[in-house]
Amino acid sequence: MNFEGKLSVQEILQTQHFADAKVIAGEAGIHRLIRWVHVLEVTSIQNLLHGNELILSTGVGWKEDHNSFYSLVQQSINANAAGLCIELGTYISKIPQKIIDLANSYDFPIIVFFKKVKFIDITQEIHSLLIKKHYQILEDLEEYSSNLNQLLLSSNPHKKILEFLHDYLKVTVFYISNQGEIQVIPKKTPIEQEKIFQALQREEVTSSLHSAHQSVQALDHTFADLFIVSERDEITEFDSLILDRSAIALAQSLLRELYIEEQRKTEEGEWVRTWLAGKNSEEQIHKYLLEIDPNLRPNGCTVLLCKAENLNKVTSEFNYFKLYTRSIFERKG
């Protein structure tokens, strides 16, 4: 799976090895996520980071060279590192004010240790926490999928899946069908709904609006688009995986509805064949048509005849074939 468990800087500050550490800059950024821990003692790091690393350093690479230190912090910020932890005392005695100001301007956490620490113990503890977080994500996904399966067995699963997605992630859910029908959970005012809808169409991502999208597909055809929108937090990889599983469940629900509908149409087709064979009375014909549509005023019809081979297949397979064929015709109106 292409996802990783992540910890926030705030979470690692609660661990035993950070009990005596202090955040001296960028405290507003302690919500930043940590993907890995990296020990760095060099000043040129632009090609050494992938993003979200928590950097550990003693300062031996720059010591009292404040310009190199400033450059290191700027490179860390540019590389989207999670934060910088520095051991004071051996090679560096204090953090210059201009570096504190730089970190504060980008909400980049700088954490200091006032006594010697074992980086190997810190990395081991954080990596263990990351692995536990990874397995917790797997368990949460499995539980979520199990709940979706239960919803698929209930009545009106479509609406329940959308509500469950909203309740689970605490985000706004947009479901837009190919026919233009829009479902929003929770309900928004028309103005709020239109504002978000326009942003989704323009694929806008702002500091106050984050979104993710997944198509609801079945039979090689997209039937709807599913969006989650957060007006507070960024959409995480875990959120996207939850969205993906929800879209699959909605596709399964839709496919079941289409299959049931196709069975109904098959029964109707059988009735038409008995009609054409002259086996139904005029009274039976009028009664049946009125049950289908009380306002029906038939004035003609169009018949499409197809020659097919090997029709002695399982009925369910033939129903899926008709379902697929009908989806093609409906796309063409």
Side-chain angles (χ1 to χ4, degrees):
M1 288 187 173
N2 184 26
F3 73 97
E4 301 165 77
K6 293 181 182 179
L7 295 165
S8 68
V9 174
Q10 187 172 25
E11 286 179 277
I12 65 101
L13 288 173
Q14 309 303 316
T15 62
Q16 61 176 357
H17 292 99
F18 285 80
D20 298 322
K22 182 180 180 181
V23 181
I24 64 165
E27 189 167 3
I30 60 174
H31 63 278
R32 286 174 179 250
L33 296 178
I34 300 169
R35 183 176 64 184
W36 208 243
V37 185
H38 202 27
V39 179
L40 283 175
E41 300 292 5
V42 295
T43 55
S44 181
I45 63 171
Q46 60 265 27
N47 297 321
L48 301 179
L49 301 177
H50 295 291
N52 295 113
E53 291 91 352
L54 181 67
I55 302 170
L56 306 179
S57 182
T58 63
V60 65
W62 65 86
K63 297 182 181 178
E64 298 300 329
D65 184 349
H66 293 176
N67 290 332
S68 295
F69 189 6
Y70 188 94
S71 174
L72 170 74
V73 174
Q74 185 65 66
Q75 290 176 68
S76 302
I77 294 170
N78 295 341
N80 194 34
L84 174 63
C85 301
I86 302 173
E87 178 188 282
L88 297 182
T90 305
Y91 300 105
I92 180 171
S93 58
K94 66 177 183 178
I95 309 297
Q97 186 59 45
K98 70 173 184 177
I99 292 176
I100 292 175
D101 293 340
L102 173 64
N104 283 331
S105 65
Y106 286 94
D107 294 335
F108 179 72
I110 294 181
I111 303 165
V112 297
F113 299 101
F114 295 100
K115 58 183 181 180
K116 284 188 177 182
V117 292
K118 293 182 178 180
F119 284 169
I120 188 171
D121 290 341
I122 293 175
T123 56
Q124 183 178 16
E125 181 178 28
I126 294 178
H127 290 166
S128 295
L129 291 172
L130 287 169
I131 291 171
K132 288 180 181 177
K133 181 84 80 169
H134 179 89
Y135 279 107
Q136 184 61 51
I137 288 175
L138 287 174
E139 291 180 2
D140 291 345
L141 284 173
E142 184 64 28
E143 182 182 4
Y144 185 83
S145 297
S146 177
N147 288 328
L148 287 178
N149 290 334
Q150 291 298 317
L151 293 177
L152 285 170
L153 298 175
S154 65
S155 61
N156 195 10
H158 176 93
K159 182 180 179 181
K160 290 179 180 177
I161 290 170
L162 295 179
E163 291 175 344
F164 184 49
L165 174 60
H166 159 68
D167 292 338
Y168 194 85
L169 294 182
K170 308 302 180 188
V171 295
T172 300
V173 176
F174 269 74
Y175 180 89
I176 306 173
S177 71
N178 279 1
Q179 288 73 38
E181 177 190 358
I182 301 176
Q183 292 177 262
V184 184
I185 300 175
K187 289 185 177 181
K188 300 282 186 181
T189 65
I191 295 177
E192 290 175 330
Q193 179 174 316
E194 183 62 23
K195 180 181 178 181
I196 297 176
F197 182 60
Q198 291 298 327
L200 292 176
Q201 286 188 316
R202 295 191 297 268
E203 297 184 354
E204 286 185 359
V205 177
T206 66
S207 58
S208 60
L209 183 65
H210 308 277
S211 67
H213 162 256
Q214 186 60 252
S215 299
V216 179
Q217 296 182 326
L219 300 173
D220 298 322
H221 178 58
T222 299
F223 288 90
D225 291 291
L226 182 63
F227 295 87
I228 52 174
V229 180
S230 173
E231 300 176 58
R232 183 183 57 185
D233 301 320
E234 292 185 8
I235 302 297
T236 66
E237 292 169 294
F238 178 72
D239 296 339
S240 296
L241 287 167
I242 291 294
L243 173 65
D244 179 65
R245 278 157 175 73
S246 301
I248 292 173
L250 287 168
Q252 291 173 333
S253 173
L254 180 61
L255 190 59
R256 185 177 68 176
E257 292 174 5
L258 292 174
Y259 183 75
I260 292 172
E261 176 66 14
E262 195 62 41
Q263 283 186 314
R264 185 185 65 80
K265 292 181 184 297
T266 298
E267 293 173 359
E268 290 179 356
E270 182 61 32
W271 184 88
V272 170
R273 280 190 289 274
T274 61
W275 179 13
L276 294 175
K279 297 180 180 180
N280 297 331
S281 67
E282 188 170 338
E283 182 181 353
Q284 288 176 319
I285 294 170
H286 282 291
K287 182 180 179 181
Y288 185 82
L289 293 177
L290 288 174
E291 287 176 355
I292 295 176
D293 184 358
N295 300 315
L296 183 64
R297 297 291 181 270
N299 60 1
C301 64
T302 300
V303 178
L304 174 66
L305 298 178
C306 300
K307 183 179 180 181
E309 303 290 342
N310 300 322
L311 286 182
N312 296 323
K313 288 187 174 182
V314 179
T315 304
S316 62
E317 292 183 0
F318 188 49
N319 281 339
Y320 277 116
F321 165 74
K322 290 188 291 182
L323 182 60
Y324 180 73
T325 306
R326 189 183 302 279
S327 71
I328 296 174
F329 291 146
E330 288 179 346
R331 270 179 277 172
K332 299 297 183 180

